[in-house]
Amino acid sequence: MQKVVKTKFENGDGPTKIYRDLAGVVSLQTIKLWIKKVRNTGSIGLSSPPSRPRTTRTKANILKAKQRLDQKRASTRRLAAEMNISKSSIHRILRKDLGSFPYKKIKQPKLTDVQKKKRVKFANWVLNNYTKSDITGWLFSDEKYFDLNGIYNNQNDRIWTISREEADKRGAIYETTKFPVKVMVWLGVCSEGLSVPVIFEDGSMGAQ
């Protein structure tokens, strides 16, 4: 595998392309390390010092994990259970061997094909009917409610103690109200930048 990486590098391929061509069998970090040694020594002598043989991060498990992720989304816990290895080993395979990263989902409006076409049509209409000077006078605005009680994440906010009673004494109780107090915040944006946020303490905003 080292000879393959060296040959592809000498043919002009970068580390990312080599990693993709090898389908993740060798981690991107390892490929970069090998290329660095080739640049410094110009030699194929890339072998690492003898070390303890891998028992879980084998080529077979790396390939199996990659195939499993390509099929459908799975958590590290489920993947570890399916492959009968520890969760920490799966994490190392994903991060170090496959070069993966656990990206969070991004929220965005769900648009239909009709809505997308309407947006494109509107954008083209604006470009054809308004000049740049006209657009500089436009103001886009939006408003949002904010809960004054804040946001509580019961998955991450933990208190380590020896009993439930001790945890309650140390602030492990999060009190909520049936009707939380909210305020509305309005904000506008134009060619000059952002407006000053306007806070409506009564929680409402009229047409004015």
Side-chain angles (χ1 to χ4, degrees):
M1 191 61 66
Q2 295 172 345
K3 291 182 179 179
V4 174
V5 173
K6 183 174 183 294
T7 301
K8 293 179 71 63
F9 171 69
E10 291 176 344
N11 290 336
D13 292 346
T16 303
K17 186 178 186 304
I18 296 174
Y19 168 76
R20 292 174 178 171
D21 291 345
L22 296 180
V25 175
V26 181
S27 69
L28 181 60
Q29 182 179 1
T30 300
I31 293 175
K32 289 181 178 180
L33 178 62
W34 289 354
I35 290 177
K36 182 179 179 181
K37 289 184 178 181
V38 171
R39 284 173 174 166
N40 294 336
T41 64
S43 172
I44 191 63
L46 302 174
S47 299
S48 302
S51 59
R52 185 180 61 170
R54 292 184 176 183
T55 57
T56 55
R57 288 172 58 198
T58 60
K59 291 183 178 180
N61 281 339
I62 294 172
L63 183 59
K64 186 176 180 181
K66 184 179 186 303
Q67 292 174 343
R68 177 66 176 79
L69 290 180
D70 290 341
Q71 293 174 359
K72 61 180 180 178
R73 187 171 64 91
S75 65
T76 54
R77 182 179 286 105
R78 177 177 295 181
L79 198 57
E82 292 180 358
M83 297 179 59
N84 197 26
I85 59 179
S86 67
K87 183 180 176 182
S88 58
S89 295
I90 282 293
H91 190 270
R92 284 191 290 269
I93 288 176
L94 297 178
R95 292 300 303 271
K96 296 184 178 180
D97 297 316
L98 296 179
S100 300
F101 185 83
Y103 291 95
K104 294 182 178 180
K105 285 188 174 182
I106 299 176
K107 292 183 179 180
Q108 65 180 23
K110 185 176 182 180
L111 301 176
T112 64
D113 292 338
V114 175
Q115 291 172 325
K116 293 178 181 179
K117 290 180 180 179
K118 286 184 177 181
R119 291 196 174 193
V120 174
K121 183 178 180 181
F122 174 75
N124 291 329
W125 176 78
V126 171
L127 290 174
N128 295 327
N129 292 274
Y130 291 92
T131 64
K132 186 176 181 180
S133 59
D134 294 331
I135 298 176
T136 56
W138 290 7
L139 174 68
F140 297 91
S141 65
D142 198 3
E143 59 277 345
K144 179 178 176 58
Y145 280 107
F146 288 89
D147 190 341
L148 296 185
N149 290 337
I151 300 175
Y152 173 65
N153 189 330
N154 59 357
Q155 292 295 327
N156 298 331
D157 196 356
R158 306 295 179 94
I159 296 179
W160 290 79
T161 61
I162 59 175
S163 66
R164 179 73 247 183
E165 291 77 12
E166 181 67 20
D168 294 343
K169 293 179 181 179
R170 297 177 59 181
I173 297 178
Y174 178 77
E175 297 180 340
T176 61
T177 58
K178 187 175 182 180
F179 303 103
V181 179
K182 298 181 179 181
V183 296
M184 177 181 285
V185 179
W186 177 93
L187 189 68
V189 59
C190 64
S191 61
E192 299 295 330
L194 296 175
S195 67
V196 177
V198 180
I199 300 176
F200 297 87
E201 296 183 358
D202 60 353
S204 62
M205 177 179 174
Q208 297 178 354

XYZ file of all heavy atoms in Angstrom, residues 37 73 126 163 166 169 180 182 190 207:
78
model
N 7.225 11.958 4.351
C 8.479 11.209 4.410
C 9.097 11.047 3.037
O 10.328 11.085 2.885
C 8.228 9.847 5.039
C 7.925 9.916 6.531
C 7.772 8.526 7.137
C 7.527 8.604 8.631
N 7.386 7.273 9.262
N -27.293 5.523 7.418
C -26.761 6.196 8.597
C -26.896 5.304 9.825
O -27.913 4.634 10.014
C -27.512 7.506 8.827
C -26.929 8.365 9.946
C -27.611 9.722 9.924
N -29.021 9.614 10.226
C -29.516 9.714 11.465
N -28.713 9.915 12.483
N -30.815 9.631 11.663
N -36.832 40.275 -10.291
C -36.172 41.398 -9.634
C -35.001 41.888 -10.466
O -34.806 43.102 -10.655
C -35.699 40.982 -8.225
C -34.816 42.066 -7.611
C -36.897 40.718 -7.318
N -25.963 10.087 45.011
C -27.392 9.805 45.185
C -28.226 10.892 44.533
O -27.741 12.001 44.255
C -27.757 9.705 46.668
O -27.588 10.960 47.309
N -28.573 13.946 46.874
C -27.411 14.823 46.862
C -27.385 15.656 45.580
O -27.019 16.836 45.605
C -26.131 13.987 46.969
C -24.849 14.803 46.980
C -24.698 15.665 48.226
O -25.361 15.356 49.234
O -23.937 16.649 48.169
N -29.739 18.570 45.880
C -29.194 19.639 46.720
C -28.187 20.500 45.958
O -28.022 21.676 46.260
C -28.518 19.035 47.955
C -29.472 18.365 48.927
C -28.710 17.785 50.098
C -29.651 17.066 51.081
N -28.916 16.466 52.213
N -44.277 30.130 30.071
C -43.002 30.848 30.152
C -43.099 32.253 29.562
O -43.856 32.499 28.619
C -42.054 29.968 29.328
C -42.939 29.200 28.407
C -44.213 28.976 29.178
N -42.060 35.266 27.383
C -41.379 35.412 26.108
C -41.377 36.873 25.676
O -42.254 37.640 26.057
C -42.053 34.565 25.017
C -42.032 33.068 25.272
C -42.697 32.329 24.126
C -42.674 30.831 24.351
N -43.313 30.087 23.221
N -30.510 45.675 5.444
C -30.552 46.334 4.142
C -29.125 46.441 3.614
O -28.201 45.843 4.174
C -31.202 47.711 4.250
S -30.267 48.867 5.278
N -49.126 45.732 12.895
C -48.793 45.918 11.472
C -47.932 47.123 11.237
O -47.251 47.239 10.217
C -50.105 46.025 10.669
